[in-house]
PDB file of all heavy atoms in Angstrom:
ATOM      1  N   ALA N   8      79.092  83.018 -17.984  1.00 91.00           N
ATOM      2  CA  ALA N   8      79.176  81.850 -18.913  1.00 91.00           C
ATOM      3  C   ALA N   8      78.953  82.344 -20.305  1.00 91.00           C
ATOM      4  O   ALA N   8      78.121  83.204 -20.596  1.00 91.00           O
ATOM      5  CB  ALA N   8      78.031  80.909 -18.574  1.00 91.00           C
ATOM      6  N   VAL N   9      79.823  81.857 -21.234  1.00 91.00           N
ATOM      7  CA  VAL N   9      79.717  82.216 -22.599  1.00 91.00           C
ATOM      8  C   VAL N   9      79.727  80.965 -23.500  1.00 91.00           C
ATOM      9  O   VAL N   9      80.180  79.866 -23.057  1.00 91.00           O
ATOM     10  CB  VAL N   9      80.874  83.121 -23.036  1.00 91.00           C
ATOM     11  CG1 VAL N   9      80.889  84.430 -22.245  1.00 91.00           C
ATOM     12  CG2 VAL N   9      82.201  82.438 -22.737  1.00 91.00           C
ATOM     13  N   THR N  10      79.301  81.068 -24.705  1.00 90.00           N
ATOM     14  CA  THR N  10      79.236  79.943 -25.616  1.00 90.00           C
ATOM     15  C   THR N  10      80.524  79.917 -26.527  1.00 90.00           C
ATOM     16  O   THR N  10      81.078  80.945 -26.865  1.00 90.00           O
ATOM     17  CB  THR N  10      78.016  80.016 -26.563  1.00 90.00           C
ATOM     18  OG1 THR N  10      77.984  81.223 -27.270  1.00 90.00           O
ATOM     19  CG2 THR N  10      76.752  79.908 -25.735  1.00 90.00           C
ATOM     20  N   SER N  11      80.819  78.704 -26.903  1.00 87.00           N
ATOM     21  CA  SER N  11      81.963  78.468 -27.800  1.00 87.00           C
ATOM     22  C   SER N  11      81.727  77.306 -28.668  1.00 87.00           C
ATOM     23  O   SER N  11      81.006  76.363 -28.290  1.00 87.00           O
ATOM     24  CB  SER N  11      83.295  78.255 -26.983  1.00 87.00           C
ATOM     25  OG  SER N  11      84.321  77.838 -27.771  1.00 87.00           O
ATOM     26  N   HIS N  12      82.286  77.352 -29.883  1.00 81.00           N
ATOM     27  CA  HIS N  12      82.168  76.225 -30.844  1.00 81.00           C
ATOM     28  C   HIS N  12      83.494  75.612 -31.162  1.00 81.00           C
ATOM     29  O   HIS N  12      83.478  74.659 -31.943  1.00 81.00           O
ATOM     30  CB  HIS N  12      81.427  76.726 -32.087  1.00 81.00           C
ATOM     31  CG  HIS N  12      80.083  77.193 -31.809  1.00 81.00           C
ATOM     32  ND1 HIS N  12      79.074  76.442 -31.228  1.00 81.00           N
ATOM     33  CD2 HIS N  12      79.436  78.401 -32.051  1.00 81.00           C
ATOM     34  CE1 HIS N  12      77.929  77.164 -31.100  1.00 81.00           C
ATOM     35  NE2 HIS N  12      78.212  78.341 -31.622  1.00 81.00           N
ATOM     36  N   THR N  13      84.594  76.073 -30.643  1.00 80.00           N
ATOM     37  CA  THR N  13      85.906  75.540 -30.989  1.00 80.00           C
ATOM     38  C   THR N  13      86.727  75.470 -29.706  1.00 80.00           C
ATOM     39  O   THR N  13      86.551  76.198 -28.739  1.00 80.00           O
ATOM     40  CB  THR N  13      86.653  76.406 -32.030  1.00 80.00           C
ATOM     41  OG1 THR N  13      86.962  77.650 -31.463  1.00 80.00           O
ATOM     42  CG2 THR N  13      85.827  76.627 -33.284  1.00 80.00           C
ATOM     43  N   THR N  14      87.669  74.514 -29.683  1.00 80.00           N
ATOM     44  CA  THR N  14      88.534  74.341 -28.516  1.00 80.00           C
ATOM     45  C   THR N  14      89.406  75.591 -28.335  1.00 80.00           C
ATOM     46  O   THR N  14      89.604  76.016 -27.187  1.00 80.00           O
ATOM     47  CB  THR N  14      89.464  73.069 -28.700  1.00 80.00           C
ATOM     48  OG1 THR N  14      88.593  71.974 -28.891  1.00 80.00           O
ATOM     49  CG2 THR N  14      90.326  72.877 -27.565  1.00 80.00           C
ATOM     50  N   ARG N  15      89.875  76.222 -29.439  1.00 80.00           N
ATOM     51  CA  ARG N  15      90.686  77.401 -29.342  1.00 80.00           C
ATOM     52  C   ARG N  15      89.996  78.507 -28.602  1.00 80.00           C
ATOM     53  O   ARG N  15      90.478  79.219 -27.791  1.00 80.00           O
ATOM     54  CB  ARG N  15      91.267  77.750 -30.678  1.00 80.00           C
ATOM     55  CG  ARG N  15      92.125  79.054 -30.670  1.00 80.00           C
ATOM     56  CD  ARG N  15      92.702  79.277 -32.053  1.00 80.00           C
ATOM     57  NE  ARG N  15      93.473  80.498 -32.059  1.00 80.00           N
ATOM     58  CZ  ARG N  15      94.113  80.970 -33.156  1.00 80.00           C
ATOM     59  NH1 ARG N  15      94.021  80.364 -34.301  1.00 80.00           N
ATOM     60  NH2 ARG N  15      94.827  82.119 -33.014  1.00 80.00           N
ATOM     61  N   ASP N  16      88.706  78.692 -29.092  1.00 81.00           N
ATOM     62  CA  ASP N  16      87.822  79.729 -28.506  1.00 81.00           C
ATOM     63  C   ASP N  16      87.658  79.460 -27.024  1.00 81.00           C
ATOM     64  O   ASP N  16      87.706  80.412 -26.210  1.00 81.00           O
ATOM     65  CB  ASP N  16      86.512  79.784 -29.171  1.00 81.00           C
ATOM     66  CG  ASP N  16      86.400  80.755 -30.412  1.00 81.00           C
ATOM     67  OD1 ASP N  16      87.502  81.357 -30.652  1.00 81.00           O
ATOM     68  OD2 ASP N  16      85.408  80.874 -30.957  1.00 81.00           O
ATOM     69  N   THR N  17      87.494  78.287 -26.643  1.00 83.00           N
ATOM     70  CA  THR N  17      87.253  77.880 -25.216  1.00 83.00           C
ATOM     71  C   THR N  17      88.481  78.333 -24.400  1.00 83.00           C
ATOM     72  O   THR N  17      88.353  78.976 -23.339  1.00 83.00           O
ATOM     73  CB  THR N  17      87.022  76.397 -25.080  1.00 83.00           C
ATOM     74  OG1 THR N  17      85.890  76.043 -25.835  1.00 83.00           O
ATOM     75  CG2 THR N  17      86.835  76.009 -23.649  1.00 83.00           C
ATOM     76  N   GLU N  18      89.664  78.063 -24.895  1.00 83.00           N
ATOM     77  CA  GLU N  18      90.868  78.467 -24.159  1.00 83.00           C
ATOM     78  C   GLU N  18      91.044  79.921 -24.071  1.00 83.00           C
ATOM     79  O   GLU N  18      91.312  80.440 -23.047  1.00 83.00           O
ATOM     80  CB  GLU N  18      92.102  77.838 -24.856  1.00 83.00           C
ATOM     81  CG  GLU N  18      92.075  76.263 -24.842  1.00 83.00           C
ATOM     82  CD  GLU N  18      93.250  75.714 -25.733  1.00 83.00           C
ATOM     83  OE1 GLU N  18      93.905  76.542 -26.338  1.00 83.00           O
ATOM     84  OE2 GLU N  18      93.456  74.425 -25.672  1.00 83.00           O
ATOM     85  N   ASP N  19      90.739  80.611 -25.160  1.00 83.00           N
ATOM     86  CA  ASP N  19      90.802  82.073 -25.167  1.00 83.00           C
ATOM     87  C   ASP N  19      89.824  82.743 -24.262  1.00 83.00           C
ATOM     88  O   ASP N  19      90.193  83.703 -23.594  1.00 83.00           O
ATOM     89  CB  ASP N  19      90.628  82.626 -26.650  1.00 83.00           C
ATOM     90  CG  ASP N  19      91.729  82.227 -27.525  1.00 83.00           C
ATOM     91  OD1 ASP N  19      92.848  81.932 -27.054  1.00 83.00           O
ATOM     92  OD2 ASP N  19      91.583  82.238 -28.805  1.00 83.00           O
ATOM     93  N   LEU N  20      88.644  82.215 -24.164  1.00 86.00           N
ATOM     94  CA  LEU N  20      87.554  82.765 -23.292  1.00 86.00           C
ATOM     95  C   LEU N  20      87.904  82.559 -21.879  1.00 86.00           C
ATOM     96  O   LEU N  20      87.653  83.421 -21.032  1.00 86.00           O
ATOM     97  CB  LEU N  20      86.198  82.107 -23.692  1.00 86.00           C
ATOM     98  CG  LEU N  20      85.663  82.629 -25.091  1.00 86.00           C
ATOM     99  CD1 LEU N  20      84.475  81.712 -25.461  1.00 86.00           C
ATOM    100  CD2 LEU N  20      85.225  84.013 -25.056  1.00 86.00           C
ATOM    101  N   PHE N  21      88.446  81.442 -21.503  1.00 87.00           N
ATOM    102  CA  PHE N  21      88.929  81.199 -20.144  1.00 87.00           C
ATOM    103  C   PHE N  21      89.935  82.314 -19.809  1.00 87.00           C
ATOM    104  O   PHE N  21      90.011  82.812 -18.696  1.00 87.00           O
ATOM    105  CB  PHE N  21      89.443  79.829 -19.869  1.00 87.00           C
ATOM    106  CG  PHE N  21      88.319  78.816 -19.635  1.00 87.00           C
ATOM    107  CD1 PHE N  21      88.338  77.557 -20.252  1.00 87.00           C
ATOM    108  CD2 PHE N  21      87.315  79.141 -18.776  1.00 87.00           C
ATOM    109  CE1 PHE N  21      87.362  76.628 -20.007  1.00 87.00           C
ATOM    110  CE2 PHE N  21      86.283  78.176 -18.542  1.00 87.00           C
ATOM    111  CZ  PHE N  21      86.293  76.913 -19.117  1.00 87.00           C
ATOM    112  N   GLY N  22      90.837  82.469 -20.702  1.00 86.00           N
ATOM    113  CA  GLY N  22      91.916  83.486 -20.537  1.00 86.00           C
ATOM    114  C   GLY N  22      91.416  84.891 -20.423  1.00 86.00           C
ATOM    115  O   GLY N  22      92.009  85.688 -19.801  1.00 86.00           O
ATOM    116  N   SER N  23      90.183  85.127 -20.993  1.00 85.00           N
ATOM    117  CA  SER N  23      89.620  86.432 -20.877  1.00 85.00           C
ATOM    118  C   SER N  23      88.840  86.688 -19.664  1.00 85.00           C
ATOM    119  O   SER N  23      88.325  87.825 -19.455  1.00 85.00           O
ATOM    120  CB  SER N  23      88.727  86.705 -22.115  1.00 85.00           C
ATOM    121  OG  SER N  23      89.471  86.657 -23.362  1.00 85.00           O
ATOM    122  N   GLY N  24      88.561  85.595 -18.921  1.00 87.00           N
ATOM    123  CA  GLY N  24      87.902  85.793 -17.599  1.00 87.00           C
ATOM    124  C   GLY N  24      86.547  85.061 -17.508  1.00 87.00           C
ATOM    125  O   GLY N  24      85.860  85.314 -16.539  1.00 87.00           O
ATOM    126  N   ALA N  25      86.176  84.214 -18.452  1.00 88.00           N
ATOM    127  CA  ALA N  25      84.954  83.440 -18.299  1.00 88.00           C
ATOM    128  C   ALA N  25      85.085  82.431 -17.299  1.00 88.00           C
ATOM    129  O   ALA N  25      86.124  81.784 -17.135  1.00 88.00           O
ATOM    130  CB  ALA N  25      84.613  82.820 -19.737  1.00 88.00           C
ATOM    131  N   ASP N  26      83.941  82.162 -16.543  1.00 89.00           N
ATOM    132  CA  ASP N  26      83.975  81.127 -15.521  1.00 89.00           C
ATOM    133  C   ASP N  26      83.532  79.817 -16.113  1.00 89.00           C
ATOM    134  O   ASP N  26      84.019  78.743 -15.657  1.00 89.00           O
ATOM    135  CB  ASP N  26      82.988  81.548 -14.383  1.00 89.00           C
ATOM    136  CG  ASP N  26      83.486  82.809 -13.679  1.00 89.00           C
ATOM    137  OD1 ASP N  26      84.492  82.688 -12.963  1.00 89.00           O
ATOM    138  OD2 ASP N  26      82.876  83.861 -13.808  1.00 89.00           O
ATOM    139  N   ILE N  27      82.559  79.780 -17.013  1.00 90.00           N
ATOM    140  CA  ILE N  27      82.062  78.584 -17.679  1.00 90.00           C
ATOM    141  C   ILE N  27      81.968  78.821 -19.150  1.00 90.00           C
ATOM    142  O   ILE N  27      81.518  79.919 -19.546  1.00 90.00           O
ATOM    143  CB  ILE N  27      80.732  78.151 -17.101  1.00 90.00           C
ATOM    144  CG1 ILE N  27      80.907  77.596 -15.691  1.00 90.00           C
ATOM    145  CG2 ILE N  27      80.048  77.102 -17.980  1.00 90.00           C
ATOM    146  CD1 ILE N  27      79.612  77.079 -15.077  1.00 90.00           C
ATOM    147  N   VAL N  28      82.407  77.896 -19.974  1.00 88.00           N
ATOM    148  CA  VAL N  28      82.210  77.981 -21.388  1.00 88.00           C
ATOM    149  C   VAL N  28      81.263  76.872 -21.844  1.00 88.00           C
ATOM    150  O   VAL N  28      81.501  75.734 -21.637  1.00 88.00           O
ATOM    151  CB  VAL N  28      83.594  77.859 -22.120  1.00 88.00           C
ATOM    152  CG1 VAL N  28      83.414  77.917 -23.698  1.00 88.00           C
ATOM    153  CG2 VAL N  28      84.543  78.935 -21.709  1.00 88.00           C
ATOM    154  N   LEU N  29      80.122  77.316 -22.401  1.00 88.00           N
ATOM    155  CA  LEU N  29      79.127  76.386 -22.879  1.00 88.00           C
ATOM    156  C   LEU N  29      79.460  75.990 -24.269  1.00 88.00           C
ATOM    157  O   LEU N  29      79.795  76.846 -25.126  1.00 88.00           O
ATOM    158  CB  LEU N  29      77.711  77.054 -22.833  1.00 88.00           C
ATOM    159  CG  LEU N  29      77.309  77.656 -21.488  1.00 88.00           C
ATOM    160  CD1 LEU N  29      75.996  78.448 -21.644  1.00 88.00           C
ATOM    161  CD2 LEU N  29      77.116  76.538 -20.476  1.00 88.00           C
ATOM    162  N   GLU N  30      79.373  74.685 -24.583  1.00 86.00           N
ATOM    163  CA  GLU N  30      79.616  74.174 -25.922  1.00 86.00           C
ATOM    164  C   GLU N  30      78.428  73.493 -26.388  1.00 86.00           C
ATOM    165  O   GLU N  30      78.252  72.208 -26.244  1.00 86.00           O
ATOM    166  CB  GLU N  30      80.839  73.240 -25.816  1.00 86.00           C
ATOM    167  CG  GLU N  30      82.116  73.962 -25.431  1.00 86.00           C
ATOM    168  CD  GLU N  30      83.336  73.005 -25.371  1.00 86.00           C
ATOM    169  OE1 GLU N  30      83.157  71.968 -24.723  1.00 86.00           O
ATOM    170  OE2 GLU N  30      84.350  73.322 -25.869  1.00 86.00           O
ATOM    171  N   PRO N  31      77.457  74.177 -27.007  1.00 85.00           N
ATOM    172  CA  PRO N  31      76.157  73.586 -27.364  1.00 85.00           C
ATOM    173  C   PRO N  31      76.214  72.318 -28.138  1.00 85.00           C
ATOM    174  O   PRO N  31      75.513  71.351 -27.911  1.00 85.00           O
ATOM    175  CB  PRO N  31      75.479  74.743 -28.098  1.00 85.00           C
ATOM    176  CG  PRO N  31      76.130  76.018 -27.623  1.00 85.00           C
ATOM    177  CD  PRO N  31      77.580  75.558 -27.400  1.00 85.00           C
ATOM    178  N   PHE N  32      77.005  72.286 -29.227  1.00 84.00           N
ATOM    179  CA  PHE N  32      77.024  71.155 -30.090  1.00 84.00           C
ATOM    180  C   PHE N  32      77.552  69.915 -29.375  1.00 84.00           C
ATOM    181  O   PHE N  32      77.108  68.754 -29.530  1.00 84.00           O
ATOM    182  CB  PHE N  32      77.853  71.470 -31.283  1.00 84.00           C
ATOM    183  CG  PHE N  32      77.232  72.469 -32.172  1.00 84.00           C
ATOM    184  CD1 PHE N  32      77.848  73.646 -32.441  1.00 84.00           C
ATOM    185  CD2 PHE N  32      75.903  72.348 -32.773  1.00 84.00           C
ATOM    186  CE1 PHE N  32      77.320  74.620 -33.205  1.00 84.00           C
ATOM    187  CE2 PHE N  32      75.360  73.279 -33.531  1.00 84.00           C
ATOM    188  CZ  PHE N  32      76.065  74.424 -33.801  1.00 84.00           C
ATOM    189  N   GLN N  33      78.665  70.127 -28.566  1.00 84.00           N
ATOM    190  CA  GLN N  33      79.225  69.022 -27.819  1.00 84.00           C
ATOM    191  C   GLN N  33      78.310  68.565 -26.780  1.00 84.00           C
ATOM    192  O   GLN N  33      78.171  67.307 -26.565  1.00 84.00           O
ATOM    193  CB  GLN N  33      80.611  69.426 -27.275  1.00 84.00           C
ATOM    194  CG  GLN N  33      81.611  70.002 -28.237  1.00 84.00           C
ATOM    195  CD  GLN N  33      82.081  68.939 -29.240  1.00 84.00           C
ATOM    196  OE1 GLN N  33      81.761  67.823 -29.069  1.00 84.00           O
ATOM    197  NE2 GLN N  33      82.776  69.373 -30.234  1.00 84.00           N
ATOM    198  N   ASP N  34      77.643  69.479 -26.040  1.00 81.00           N
ATOM    199  CA  ASP N  34      76.695  69.074 -25.079  1.00 81.00           C
ATOM    200  C   ASP N  34      75.544  68.263 -25.643  1.00 81.00           C
ATOM    201  O   ASP N  34      75.067  67.281 -25.103  1.00 81.00           O
ATOM    202  CB  ASP N  34      76.093  70.318 -24.313  1.00 81.00           C
ATOM    203  CG  ASP N  34      77.158  70.934 -23.477  1.00 81.00           C
ATOM    204  OD1 ASP N  34      78.269  70.280 -23.224  1.00 81.00           O
ATOM    205  OD2 ASP N  34      76.951  72.087 -23.003  1.00 81.00           O
ATOM    206  N   ALA N  35      75.039  68.759 -26.878  1.00 83.00           N
ATOM    207  CA  ALA N  35      73.970  68.046 -27.515  1.00 83.00           C
ATOM    208  C   ALA N  35      74.406  66.628 -27.971  1.00 83.00           C
ATOM    209  O   ALA N  35      73.695  65.635 -27.900  1.00 83.00           O
ATOM    210  CB  ALA N  35      73.459  68.867 -28.702  1.00 83.00           C
ATOM    211  N   ALA N  36      75.664  66.523 -28.403  1.00 85.00           N
ATOM    212  CA  ALA N  36      76.155  65.218 -28.868  1.00 85.00           C
ATOM    213  C   ALA N  36      76.270  64.218 -27.598  1.00 85.00           C
ATOM    214  O   ALA N  36      75.934  63.108 -27.707  1.00 85.00           O
ATOM    215  CB  ALA N  36      77.595  65.412 -29.464  1.00 85.00           C
ATOM    216  N   ASP N  37      76.779  64.744 -26.486  1.00 83.00           N
ATOM    217  CA  ASP N  37      76.852  63.929 -25.286  1.00 83.00           C
ATOM    218  C   ASP N  37      75.453  63.465 -24.817  1.00 83.00           C
ATOM    219  O   ASP N  37      75.242  62.251 -24.513  1.00 83.00           O
ATOM    220  CB  ASP N  37      77.486  64.723 -24.134  1.00 83.00           C
ATOM    221  CG  ASP N  37      79.002  64.878 -24.297  1.00 83.00           C
ATOM    222  OD1 ASP N  37      79.570  64.110 -25.119  1.00 83.00           O
ATOM    223  OD2 ASP N  37      79.620  65.654 -23.623  1.00 83.00           O
ATOM    224  N   ARG N  38      74.500  64.339 -24.908  1.00 81.00           N
ATOM    225  CA  ARG N  38      73.119  63.981 -24.564  1.00 81.00           C
ATOM    226  C   ARG N  38      72.513  62.968 -25.477  1.00 81.00           C
ATOM    227  O   ARG N  38      71.886  62.041 -25.101  1.00 81.00           O
ATOM    228  CB  ARG N  38      72.302  65.224 -24.467  1.00 81.00           C
ATOM    229  CG  ARG N  38      70.839  65.005 -24.102  1.00 81.00           C
ATOM    230  CD  ARG N  38      70.654  64.330 -22.776  1.00 81.00           C
ATOM    231  NE  ARG N  38      69.300  64.181 -22.408  1.00 81.00           N
ATOM    232  CZ  ARG N  38      68.854  63.347 -21.468  1.00 81.00           C
ATOM    233  NH1 ARG N  38      69.738  62.537 -20.819  1.00 81.00           N
ATOM    234  NH2 ARG N  38      67.501  63.257 -21.263  1.00 81.00           N
ATOM    235  N   ALA N  39      72.821  63.169 -26.773  1.00 85.00           N
ATOM    236  CA  ALA N  39      72.367  62.145 -27.825  1.00 85.00           C
ATOM    237  C   ALA N  39      72.963  60.792 -27.576  1.00 85.00           C
ATOM    238  O   ALA N  39      72.257  59.815 -27.620  1.00 85.00           O
ATOM    239  CB  ALA N  39      72.670  62.708 -29.203  1.00 85.00           C
ATOM    240  N   VAL N  40      74.231  60.756 -27.225  1.00 86.00           N
ATOM    241  CA  VAL N  40      74.860  59.448 -26.993  1.00 86.00           C
ATOM    242  C   VAL N  40      74.320  58.780 -25.747  1.00 86.00           C
ATOM    243  O   VAL N  40      74.013  57.631 -25.707  1.00 86.00           O
ATOM    244  CB  VAL N  40      76.429  59.652 -26.817  1.00 86.00           C
ATOM    245  CG1 VAL N  40      77.039  58.385 -26.294  1.00 86.00           C
ATOM    246  CG2 VAL N  40      77.055  60.044 -28.118  1.00 86.00           C
ATOM    247  N   GLU N  41      73.938  59.661 -24.729  1.00 82.00           N
ATOM    248  CA  GLU N  41      73.425  59.152 -23.503  1.00 82.00           C
ATOM    249  C   GLU N  41      72.031  58.511 -23.825  1.00 82.00           C
ATOM    250  O   GLU N  41      71.692  57.419 -23.293  1.00 82.00           O
ATOM    251  CB  GLU N  41      73.260  60.228 -22.504  1.00 82.00           C
ATOM    252  CG  GLU N  41      72.615  59.829 -21.190  1.00 82.00           C
ATOM    253  CD  GLU N  41      72.418  61.013 -20.269  1.00 82.00           C
ATOM    254  OE1 GLU N  41      72.992  62.088 -20.493  1.00 82.00           O
ATOM    255  OE2 GLU N  41      71.616  60.883 -19.376  1.00 82.00           O
ATOM    256  N   LEU N  42      71.200  59.189 -24.665  1.00 83.00           N
ATOM    257  CA  LEU N  42      69.927  58.662 -24.920  1.00 83.00           C
ATOM    258  C   LEU N  42      69.968  57.416 -25.868  1.00 83.00           C
ATOM    259  O   LEU N  42      69.167  56.436 -25.622  1.00 83.00           O
ATOM    260  CB  LEU N  42      69.042  59.701 -25.613  1.00 83.00           C
ATOM    261  CG  LEU N  42      68.698  60.954 -24.777  1.00 83.00           C
ATOM    262  CD1 LEU N  42      68.025  62.018 -25.595  1.00 83.00           C
ATOM    263  CD2 LEU N  42      67.749  60.535 -23.655  1.00 83.00           C
ATOM    264  N   LEU N  43      70.909  57.415 -26.767  1.00 86.00           N
ATOM    265  CA  LEU N  43      70.991  56.340 -27.656  1.00 86.00           C
ATOM    266  C   LEU N  43      71.542  55.019 -27.079  1.00 86.00           C
ATOM    267  O   LEU N  43      71.167  53.871 -27.342  1.00 86.00           O
ATOM    268  CB  LEU N  43      71.927  56.686 -28.901  1.00 86.00           C
ATOM    269  CG  LEU N  43      71.310  57.742 -29.819  1.00 86.00           C
ATOM    270  CD1 LEU N  43      72.337  58.146 -30.897  1.00 86.00           C
ATOM    271  CD2 LEU N  43      70.029  57.143 -30.556  1.00 86.00           C
ATOM    272  N   SER N  44      72.485  55.299 -26.139  1.00 81.00           N
ATOM    273  CA  SER N  44      73.159  54.154 -25.453  1.00 81.00           C
ATOM    274  C   SER N  44      72.304  53.599 -24.328  1.00 81.00           C
ATOM    275  O   SER N  44      72.539  52.418 -23.880  1.00 81.00           O
ATOM    276  CB  SER N  44      74.570  54.485 -25.020  1.00 81.00           C
ATOM    277  OG  SER N  44      74.449  55.479 -23.972  1.00 81.00           O
ATOM    278  N   GLY N  45      71.551  54.440 -23.749  1.00 72.00           N
ATOM    279  CA  GLY N  45      70.751  54.074 -22.508  1.00 72.00           C
ATOM    280  C   GLY N  45      71.587  53.833 -21.346  1.00 72.00           C
ATOM    281  O   GLY N  45      71.130  53.300 -20.325  1.00 72.00           O
ATOM    282  N   ALA N  46      72.897  54.257 -21.343  1.00 59.00           N
ATOM    283  CA  ALA N  46      73.766  54.122 -20.247  1.00 59.00           C
ATOM    284  C   ALA N  46      73.529  55.250 -19.226  1.00 59.00           C
ATOM    285  O   ALA N  46      73.457  56.372 -19.574  1.00 59.00           O
ATOM    286  CB  ALA N  46      75.185  54.112 -20.650  1.00 59.00           C
ATOM    287  N   PRO N  47      73.430  54.888 -17.945  1.00 55.00           N
ATOM    288  CA  PRO N  47      73.365  55.871 -16.883  1.00 55.00           C
ATOM    289  C   PRO N  47      74.589  56.736 -16.906  1.00 55.00           C
ATOM    290  O   PRO N  47      75.645  56.296 -17.395  1.00 55.00           O
ATOM    291  CB  PRO N  47      73.164  55.110 -15.628  1.00 55.00           C
ATOM    292  CG  PRO N  47      72.778  53.722 -16.052  1.00 55.00           C
ATOM    293  CD  PRO N  47      73.367  53.474 -17.327  1.00 55.00           C
ATOM    294  N   GLU N  48      74.574  57.892 -16.325  1.00 52.00           N
ATOM    295  CA  GLU N  48      75.658  58.834 -16.288  1.00 52.00           C
ATOM    296  C   GLU N  48      76.869  58.198 -15.612  1.00 52.00           C
ATOM    297  O   GLU N  48      78.005  58.349 -16.200  1.00 52.00           O
ATOM    298  CB  GLU N  48      75.273  60.104 -15.489  1.00 52.00           C
ATOM    299  CG  GLU N  48      76.347  61.188 -15.454  1.00 52.00           C
ATOM    300  CD  GLU N  48      76.434  61.901 -16.769  1.00 52.00           C
ATOM    301  OE1 GLU N  48      75.510  61.892 -17.557  1.00 52.00           O
ATOM    302  OE2 GLU N  48      77.487  62.514 -17.014  1.00 52.00           O
ATOM    303  N   GLU N  49      76.677  57.452 -14.568  1.00 49.00           N
ATOM    304  CA  GLU N  49      77.838  56.905 -13.879  1.00 49.00           C
ATOM    305  C   GLU N  49      78.571  55.810 -14.622  1.00 49.00           C
ATOM    306  O   GLU N  49      79.735  55.486 -14.389  1.00 49.00           O
ATOM    307  CB  GLU N  49      77.429  56.378 -12.499  1.00 49.00           C
ATOM    308  CG  GLU N  49      76.433  55.260 -12.507  1.00 49.00           C
ATOM    309  CD  GLU N  49      75.009  55.866 -12.491  1.00 49.00           C
ATOM    310  OE1 GLU N  49      74.887  57.095 -12.698  1.00 49.00           O
ATOM    311  OE2 GLU N  49      74.077  55.130 -12.229  1.00 49.00           O
ATOM    312  N   GLU N  50      77.892  55.186 -15.632  1.00 48.00           N
ATOM    313  CA  GLU N  50      78.452  54.071 -16.373  1.00 48.00           C
ATOM    314  C   GLU N  50      79.219  54.579 -17.603  1.00 48.00           C
ATOM    315  O   GLU N  50      79.838  53.804 -18.303  1.00 48.00           O
ATOM    316  CB  GLU N  50      77.312  53.067 -16.773  1.00 48.00           C
ATOM    317  CG  GLU N  50      76.672  52.439 -15.652  1.00 48.00           C
ATOM    318  CD  GLU N  50      75.643  51.422 -16.097  1.00 48.00           C
ATOM    319  OE1 GLU N  50      75.624  51.211 -17.388  1.00 48.00           O
ATOM    320  OE2 GLU N  50      74.831  50.915 -15.368  1.00 48.00           O
ATOM    321  N   ARG N  51      79.221  55.908 -17.896  1.00 45.00           N
ATOM    322  CA  ARG N  51      79.866  56.376 -19.109  1.00 45.00           C
ATOM    323  C   ARG N  51      81.185  57.121 -18.767  1.00 45.00           C
ATOM    324  O   ARG N  51      81.554  58.066 -19.482  1.00 45.00           O
ATOM    325  CB  ARG N  51      78.853  57.308 -19.788  1.00 45.00           C
ATOM    326  CG  ARG N  51      77.653  56.586 -20.188  1.00 45.00           C
ATOM    327  CD  ARG N  51      76.785  57.520 -21.143  1.00 45.00           C
ATOM    328  NE  ARG N  51      76.373  58.731 -20.380  1.00 45.00           N
ATOM    329  CZ  ARG N  51      76.777  59.960 -20.653  1.00 45.00           C
ATOM    330  NH1 ARG N  51      77.661  60.102 -21.610  1.00 45.00           N
ATOM    331  NH2 ARG N  51      76.379  60.997 -19.988  1.00 45.00           N
TER     332      ARG N  51
END
């Protein structure tokens, strides 16, 4: 698993052999939206 901050990097890293690409800022934004909206995971 490796970290990435751009979509282009994500594609290149998969091409280089990464199994999972972590996107910290996007993950944090998703979690923030989840907390702010109060919507359960299955409703989003």
Side-chain angles (χ1 to χ4, degrees):
V9 296
T10 56
S11 170
H12 298 302
T13 66
T14 303
R15 180 176 179 180
D16 269 0
T17 299
E18 296 173 353
D19 292 341
L20 290 169
F21 278 136
S23 298
D26 296 290
I27 288 182
V28 177
L29 305 172
E30 298 178 312
F32 295 120
Q33 303 296 351
D34 290 346
D37 283 346
R38 179 58 177 163
V40 170
E41 178 184 345
L42 293 173
L43 292 172
S44 66
E48 183 74 21
E49 60 271 13
E50 294 182 10
R51 296 187 301 111

